[in-house]
Amino acid sequence: MRARSRAWALLLAPALLLAGCGGGDDGGGTQATTPPQPAKVTVTATASGDQVSFDLPAQIKPGATELSLVNNTKEQVEFQLVQLDEGHTMAEFYPAIEKDGAPIPTWLHAMGGVGEASPGERRTVVVDLKAGSYAWFSNTTPEQEGAEPLYKRGGEGSLEVTGDPSGAPLPATGAQITAKEVSPTDYRFEASGFKAGPNQITFTNGGGELHHVVIARLNDGATIDQAQEFFATEDFKGPPPIDFDASEVTAVLDTGGKEVDTVELKSGSYALLCFLSDRAGSPPHVIKAKMIQEVKVP
């Protein structure tokens, strides 16, 4: 939010200087105004035994919306927003994510949301919500034998985006990540503007497939070449050269989608990876199309 306020201040500065030079102006000119701030919506995840519940409004106004996911459970949670073409249901969709590399229906559209949040964490993302009906779910699963994903234990629901648009735009950010598809076997990320400390990062899906971003710190002494070799096939051998415990995972975006994620980064080298599959079905993009890039945080 702070970066956006500063950007607008810089844009408005020339107009303010010109107004000051007029001397005798009686204030009859057009006065520049800043756009509305994104609405703030909190989503709180709680647990009772194996069941989870998510507390959030049933209706939200259109426009840029700051979603804060508060994880009061003892496991990872996420808040993925999707829209469905008329006549389809989430029950039809779930089998597609229960089998690795399975086709993803073209009637489901990933609209972003809040990526994985750890127990006790509060994670914030700004999404631009258009009017319409949305479904949401959490696909995180504990690492234990026979564990079921959260959407089978209460982690799913719906909401309506309705009413007068707020007019709030996504905040401008200094850091950017854009997913691109250069060829059928070459998908990549373009990234810039990272710094140590809190980062607001605009994540844009500039490709034709679904994408997310895993921002994972390289282990001390590890190189991006070692990470690329490790993820060259699904036959992973030995410990990974990246620290998944020191990583951030965004929600999934469809073609043309955009959101602003807030992440905390330390100085060092990170790998950007995508573990999603093509809509038609494929190995994960990090394997199928070498979708792994290095970004250095000064």
Side-chain angles (χ1 to χ4, degrees), residues 128-216:
D128 189 10
L129 298 176
K130 310 300 183 186
S133 298
Y134 291 73
W136 58 265
F137 69 100
S138 184
N139 189 33
T140 53
T141 307
E143 295 181 2
Q144 48 209 72
E145 190 71 28
E148 292 190 317
L150 281 185
Y151 64 80
K152 290 187 175 182
R153 295 183 280 125
E156 64 170 353
S158 62
L159 62 87
E160 291 291 325
V161 177
T162 185
D164 295 330
S166 68
L170 288 176
T173 67
Q176 310 280 332
I177 300 176
T178 302
K180 294 193 172 182
E181 296 156 18
V182 179
S183 75
T185 57
D186 183 4
Y187 298 173
R188 61 184 63 178
F189 293 108
E190 292 184 354
S192 62
F194 285 27
K195 60 183 177 63
N199 285 256
Q200 275 196 311
I201 303 172
T202 300
F203 169 42
T204 304
N205 184 356
E209 301 290 346
L210 299 174
H211 291 294
H212 71 169
V213 188
V214 178
I215 307 173

Side-chain angles (χ1 to χ4, degrees), residues 46-277:
T46 57
S48 177
D50 288 337
Q51 295 299 300
V52 295
S53 61
F54 285 66
D55 181 35
L56 67 149
Q59 293 186 339
I60 300 174
K61 285 189 175 183
T65 303
E66 182 183 289
L67 295 174
S68 292
L69 176 58
V70 179
N71 184 2
N72 289 336
T73 77
K74 295 182 179 180
E75 57 185 299
Q76 299 275 346
V77 302
E78 65 176 356
F79 185 76
Q80 175 69 50
L81 290 163
V82 297
Q83 287 188 304
L84 310 177
D85 289 349
E86 188 174 355
H88 295 283
T89 66
M90 290 299 290
E92 292 178 76
F93 164 66
Y94 288 139
I97 55 176
E98 291 169 359
K99 182 179 179 182
D100 292 341
I104 301 171
T106 57
W107 43 260
L108 178 132
H109 312 284
M111 308 304 290
V114 188
E116 291 183 11
S118 299
E121 183 182 6
R122 181 187 187 99
R123 184 161 178 196
T124 300
V125 174
V126 184
V127 294
D128 189 10
L129 298 176
K130 310 300 183 186
S133 298
Y134 291 73
W136 58 265
F137 69 100
S138 184
N139 189 33
T140 53
T141 307
E143 295 181 2
Q144 48 209 72
E145 190 71 28
E148 292 190 317
L150 281 185
Y151 64 80
K152 290 187 175 182
R153 295 183 280 125
E156 64 170 353
S158 62
L159 62 87
E160 291 291 325
V161 177
T162 185
D164 295 330
S166 68
L170 288 176
T173 67
Q176 310 280 332
I177 300 176
T178 302
K180 294 193 172 182
E181 296 156 18
V182 179
S183 75
T185 57
D186 183 4
Y187 298 173
R188 61 184 63 178
F189 293 108
E190 292 184 354
S192 62
F194 285 27
K195 60 183 177 63
N199 285 256
Q200 275 196 311
I201 303 172
T202 300
F203 169 42
T204 304
N205 184 356
E209 301 290 346
L210 299 174
H211 291 294
H212 71 169
V213 188
V214 178
I215 307 173
R217 186 179 174 87
L218 286 168
N219 290 330
D220 290 342
T223 67
I224 192 66
D225 289 340
Q226 290 173 329
Q228 290 169 339
E229 182 179 356
F230 181 84
F231 291 108
T233 70
E234 294 183 80
D235 185 23
F236 304 139
K237 295 180 180 179
I242 62 177
D243 185 359
F244 282 111
D245 291 331
S247 65
E248 300 282 356
V249 185
T250 73
V252 181
L253 288 177
D254 221 312
T255 301
K258 183 181 291 189
E259 68 178 29
V260 174
D261 286 75
T262 300
V263 299
E264 183 88 18
L265 300 174
K266 296 181 179 180
S267 296
S269 294
Y270 288 77
L272 306 181
L273 313 94
C274 180
F275 288 96
L276 299 185
S277 302

Side-chain angles (χ1 to χ4, degrees), residues 16 18 30 283:
L16 294 174
L18 287 172
T30 302

